[in-house]
Amino acid sequence: MSRVESLIARMTLTEKLGQLTMTACGMAVTGPTIAGDSTAAVKSGAIGNLLNLVGPNNVHAMQRLAVKESRLGIPLLIGYDVIHGHRILFPIPLAETACFDPTLWEVSAREAAKEAAADGLAMTFAPMLDVARDPRWGRSAEGPGEDPLVGARIAEAKVRGFQGADLRQADALAACAKHYCAYGCVTAGRDYAPVDISERTLHEVHMVPFAAAVAAGAAAIMPSFTDLNGIPMTANQALLHDWLRGRLGFEGVIISDYNAIAELIRHGIAGDLPEAAALALKAGVDIDMMADAYRYGLPAALERGAVTIADIDQAVRRVLTLKERLGLFEDPFARGRTPESAAALRDRRHLARVIATRSIVMLKNQDDTLPLKSTVRRVALVGPLSDDSSEMRGVWWGAAPPEGHVTVLAGLREALPGAQILHAPGVAIDSADFSGISQGLDHCSAVDAIILCLGEAAIMSGEASSRSYLGLPGSQRRLAEAVFEQARGSATPVIVILFSGRPLVVPWLVEQADAVLAAWFPGSEAGNAIADLITGRASPSGRTPVTWPRAAGQVPIFFSERPSGRPFNATDRFTSKYLDVANEPLFPFGFGLNFGRFEFSNLRLSAASLGIDDAVTVQVDLLNSGAREAQETVFLFTHDKVASVSRPKLELKGFAQITLGPGNKGTVSLSLRASELRFLGMDLAAVFEPGEVDILVGPCADRTQLLVASIHLVAN
Ligand code: BGC
């Protein structure tokens, strides 16, 4: 008999339910620690998994209790939210998405896994794969932005990165793809609110990254807190048991979100804890995180006949199998045994700087304001985010302490040793007090450049951080307007560094600034990365992975909308538009400037027609007619003009990057398989329909900037 089966045969009900329980170890960052002291429960086998415990000594101490002092010696599975780094932080996920580079996406996850595993951990609750099209929702910051293909590429890269080549290795973490599914569609962008979307949108958009995570071998999946069309995901048999396990073939562990099983009662689908526990188990949830519903509810559910011991055994089997795959039975102390070398940490810091540099999106650069001229001697650095280390971390800072993250002030001092930097916060991030503005203004006179660091606090995005006004908080607009007013008419450029976990609705700011960098939250190397771009040591290359609205009333806003029967026409009132704001976003998906100037030409296809088994190579020439080397991202979209189901005006099918020196030419090739042109037909099954499809290639999702060619799909 296998180890797993022989253990199951020997386990008491309490021990089985312990394996299905995950409890926080007093270090919760997201909610109340309702577990108290878990020591006795670990020894008795009543708790078999922990979260929010870090540090090799702490982890090994708890692990020793389980392995040496519990009856069956089953090791604990210990997880943590390693979202964008562990102690050294990379940019927040939305920012990292802006790199549009799957290699970087993978490498940062690999590095985060090494660091977290060296801290004793074996699982991360990442990647977060919720497609998000409504920036009011604060959790947009944690995910891959608005596009399902990008989400799928992130899923693959992150699962590979976290899990490494072999889960058994001491530096591998089990990845947990979350939050399945459509959490990004909470009503009105309000966190935890109900989700009500069509089956088509669910499958065409929100399922796509999760299917990719499963195909890439993700060890675990976490259902979202929310309901979907009336059925809470934690109890959603159709989507967990039937779809995830049945259709997608997922064999790993399903782990509930924090207290989500007990919340089935508040959702109004369970009368008590045993009923909630039974619904979750029957749907396929193996591990109960923080609700204690399995421990205290399943015994009664068994007595009531709502679940069987076979249901419980099946979940235990999956959990033990994961522990086995992680090598925990062979060596429960492997993770956390060997501290990382100073050189590894140095290299990781360097990587964090590179990725942060690549994630920042230059939204405006009037008259080549950036990079700063080398003659710059006096700089005013104003704003509440110019020298605050802890804010640079962004949401989900893992085990990173507040200090030690490079601020813009520190980065600029390092990058401009000969320059005088006059620094004042001016105002706090979110306060009505504007008494510090005058000091900020004093600094702004007789300088060569003004750098304004504005935006949200790190905790204004992420969980439970929905916003209805998407502007600058507190008195920051007042500060910015005062600075613009003072600089107006002078030759002093005003450069805005905008920190946020979502696109901010700040058209007035973009209008008045000479240059704007959307920095998101860049992580531990924030200030160095920003200084690299400001001084021209690096050229900006980030591209916004979300459509950037000009008014909060435009949201949800995304490029892959379907056509309207009454498309926008300025001279016809009865067409799709607003009375008070343009339809166009402030910046389209994929937008981002660089220090070069790219011209696209000569879009060509290797074939004029495609059968279902064929592929086409799409090529486009690029010329950098600017004066500096720069990187361009090339997006490939399609539009199926006539199909049985109305197709989006643009669908992203691929992207690639090219770096060209000044005056240099290059060619970008992207391959497209005909099977990628299938879509979900009227009955939601994939179909391949003959007809003409537009292939559109260019620098962003603004149709006016795309080159177009057509291809014919033919029946074989
Ligand atoms: C969040 C999850 C997270 C979990 C554990 C929950 O509140 O929704 O994303 O993984 O807490 O910290």
Side-chain angles (χ1 to χ4, degrees), residues 30 51 81 125 139 178-179 222 225 257-258 396 463:
T30 53
L51 79 151
D81 290 280
F125 307 118
R139 302 203 79 166
K178 70 185 188 187
H179 309 83
M222 181 188 289
F225 284 125
D257 204 347
Y258 206 100
W396 288 119
E463 189 175 344

Side-chain angles (χ1 to χ4, degrees), residues 98 236 256 263 292 319 426 432 465 476 514 526 638:
N236 200 316
S256 85
E263 288 167 20
D292 273 343
V319 176
S465 299
Q476 292 187 64
D514 295 281
T638 57

Side-chain angles (χ1 to χ4, degrees), residues 219-471:
I221 303 249
M222 181 188 289
S224 59
F225 284 125
T226 41
D227 79 320
L228 177 63
N229 305 336
I231 321 272
M233 284 306 306
T234 306
N236 200 316
Q237 282 213 24
L239 289 177
L240 295 177
H241 179 272
D242 303 350
W243 191 267
L244 194 55
R245 297 215 190 277
R247 287 289 287 272
L248 300 181
F250 177 66
E251 290 177 349
V253 165
I254 298 180
I255 176 164
S256 85
D257 204 347
Y258 206 100
N259 199 39
I261 301 181
E263 288 167 20
L264 294 176
I265 299 172
R266 296 212 193 110
H267 274 290
I269 64 157
D272 59 12
L273 207 59
E275 198 182 348
L279 285 171
L281 188 74
K282 281 288 188 192
V285 176
D286 303 305
I287 295 183
D288 166 2
M289 180 195 282
M290 288 306 287
D292 273 343
Y294 281 0
R295 275 215 287 161
Y296 299 129
L298 282 182
L302 262 176
E303 272 169 32
R304 291 180 196 170
V307 298
T308 64
I309 199 72
D311 297 328
I312 292 173
D313 287 353
Q314 182 53 22
V316 173
R317 189 169 289 119
R318 291 201 193 97
V319 176
L320 295 180
T321 303
L322 176 57
K323 292 184 177 185
E324 194 159 59
R325 288 180 64 205
L326 282 160
L328 288 169
F329 284 103
E330 275 85 47
D331 186 354
F333 304 102
R335 291 177 180 80
R337 180 175 291 127
T338 320
E340 293 197 285
S341 69
L345 300 183
R346 241 190 343 266
D347 290 352
R348 188 167 302 137
R349 269 269 178 187
H350 177 70
L351 180 71
R353 181 171 181 160
V354 171
I355 299 183
T357 310
R358 297 274 306 272
S359 71
I360 293 169
V361 181
M362 186 159 71
L363 296 175
K364 183 174 181 185
N365 194 22
Q366 188 82 37
D367 303 328
D368 294 333
T369 300
L370 294 177
L372 284 183
K373 313 288 168 284
S374 54
T375 50
V376 162
R377 287 291 165 268
R378 267 165 74 87
V379 176
L381 179 64
V382 177
L385 284 141
S386 45
D387 191 29
D388 192 330
S389 161
S390 71
E391 294 294 343
M392 298 299 101
R393 297 177 299 174
V395 61
W396 288 119
W397 46 78
E403 60 284 344
H405 312 283
V406 184
T407 66
V408 180
L409 179 62
L412 279 181
R413 281 198 174 131
E414 173 85 25
L416 299 170
Q420 190 185 4
I421 297 170
L422 307 168
H423 165 245
V427 295
I429 294 177
D430 191 9
S431 155
D433 178 3
F434 51 87
S435 56
I437 292 182
S438 57
Q439 192 201 4
L441 290 179
D442 288 348
H443 286 350
C444 293
S445 56
V447 289
D448 302 313
I450 299 166
I451 301 176
L452 263 179
C453 294
L454 306 171
E456 300 182 309
I459 54 155
M460 287 182 174
S461 55
E463 189 175 344
S465 299
S466 297
R467 296 184 64 202
S468 61
Y469 294 98
L470 299 177

